[in-house]
Amino acid sequence: MPVRASLRHLGEGERDTTVLTRLLDRNAEHHGSRTALVASDERLTWAELRDRVDRVALGLSALGVGPDDTAVIMLPATSEFVVGVLALGRLGAAAALLNVQSKEHELSSAFADCQPKVVITDRPGAGISQAVAERIGYPVTVVSTDATPSSAVPFSALITDQADATLPTLAPADRALIYQYSSGSTGRPKRVVRTQAQCAAEAEYVSLTLELTPDDAILCVIPLFHAYGLGDCLFTSLGSAAKLVIQSNPNPFMVKRQRTLELIEEERVTFFPGVPYQFELLAKARSEADLSSLRYCTSAGVGLSRDIFDAFLDRFGIPLRQLYGCTESPSLSVNLEDDVAATTETVGRAMVGNEIVIRTEDGAAAPVGTVGAVSVRSAASSSGYVGSSHNDHETFRDGWVFPGDLGFLDDEGRLTIVGRTKIFIDVVGHKVDPLEVEDVLATHPAVDESVVVGTCLVEGKGEVVKAVVVVKEPVSELELIRYCSERLAPFKVPQVVEFVDAIPRSPIGKILRKELI
């Protein structure tokens, strides 16, 4: 018996698009024969994708995953990532999305916080997940997508007929679907929760703003475990029924950029979300490609320099449009101006369904042109943090999200970001919380005190992590870097270590971080 036979089909009056997986049903019913997903050598139609999702959901259910449970997904952008997220949504369970570069120290904290029943990962991730689970004594079932350790369940084993099994017909709109970790406004990773309804709202808002249709194709070369890739690639594909094309293993991008150009041409890609360094490398590529199908190239993660904008425009005749969002409230605004070259510095107007207000220090709305704290309100925004880091009133206040950015609105409603109110470090689009790195350094026996800041080694090439350290016994820069690399994802590891006799402080004892940059 086909798996779909175990599920009740929803009629028109019952279909609820405030639930993300119902967007999948809608697409399968109305565009079933169209291509939904291209990844490596796989091509799945919407009908095939829905069937794959339901089969994996049944397989996860057999492993004991049910409503309100959590499963970790620690994968690069793959078809298994897409199917895993949607299968968990079908069950009313949540997917905790972790960086594939996570180390044991980071995984231990995440496991203890979200207490997953299952970890869906690849072979390297399976090994580290099992090691962490054994060390902290936490029982977890590991599902591996490729060559599988003997104690792990093959992902392929989840794709099986179970004629007697049934799935929930509808996961409630307020059911948690996604957990992602963000440093919020007060440092150290916090678990951001987004519900079925909030994820579905983002899917609809981006699709409506960009006027995407089933005739469009979205290229994904950015991580799906980041809010940018998740929302503007996966969710937007569901919201518009556009084809999602995933470039497998796009890094190192300098080596793989030719394949990016080929995919745009072969799959007639119309929407390409990326980050500045990717566009810079594409502009310098020697090979030619037909990019005439592209309607939108959006740049996010870090600010887009005019040099990169000009280089890409000169090479391909396509303007890069800045897009703005954060983990707590993704896909907030985008520059859709006709004359993008005259407005490159702006991140555009609020997307459909979003409201942006600039606040003065007393919380009042700032006048046009006045710099203040950016605040946003959207049905797609998270409602807050959960777990051990609950209630950050600096970020979530009275239904508004404060991303921690400074900016101003012009008289046309366009937003320009001018700075940060928080101390994060931008490392090639990754947000690094200095306090997390400082916590690791504090455990080294030779370190008495440390302060971590962002610094630029090469002008215009973004920030790297710098540690300023006071020691109580001799230790080398290389030893401290090695120590951090064993406990932190590579982008969080200090590239520079400076030894000082004392950390500079103000008369009231506040650390003077600016003096250390």
Side-chain angles (χ1 to χ4, degrees), residues 10 20 49 61-62 68 109 113 123 146 202 224 285 291 337 432 443 485:
L10 296 176
L20 192 75
L49 178 59
S61 179
D68 297 322
S109 297
D113 179 52
R123 184 175 179 83
D146 48 17
E202 183 184 11
L224 286 173
L291 306 190
E337 298 297 316
V432 177
T443 64
S485 68

Side-chain angles (χ1 to χ4, degrees), residues 118-202:
V118 168
V119 177
I120 303 173
T121 185
D122 53 13
R123 184 175 179 83
I128 189 174
S129 296
Q130 289 174 330
V132 168
E134 291 173 5
R135 182 169 56 79
I136 66 177
Y138 182 79
V140 65
T141 299
V142 175
V143 176
S144 180
T145 60
D146 48 17
T148 309
S150 58
S151 55
V153 176
F155 188 88
S156 59
L158 302 181
I159 308 171
T160 180
D161 282 347
Q162 299 185 45
D164 297 329
T166 58
L167 294 174
T169 56
L170 189 68
D174 61 357
R175 185 83 70 190
L177 176 67
I178 296 296
Y179 293 135
Q180 290 175 291
Y181 283 89
S182 167
S183 295
S185 61
T186 58
R188 298 180 178 87
K190 296 174 173 61
R191 181 157 45 109
V192 179
V193 59
R194 295 182 67 205
T195 65
Q196 286 266 1
Q198 289 162 350
C199 296
E202 183 184 11

Side-chain angles (χ1 to χ4, degrees), residues 355-360 363-366 372-377 400-403 407 409 415:
E355 184 179 0
I356 299 175
V357 173
I358 305 300
R359 306 283 179 180
T360 60
V374 177
S375 67
V376 299
R377 183 164 61 183
W400 292 81
V401 176
F402 289 74
L409 293 170
L415 173 64

Side-chain angles (χ1 to χ4, degrees), residues 238-252:
L238 288 163
S240 62
K243 175 176 64 177
L244 177 60
V245 180
I246 293 176
Q247 180 174 347
S248 300
N249 303 316
N251 294 313

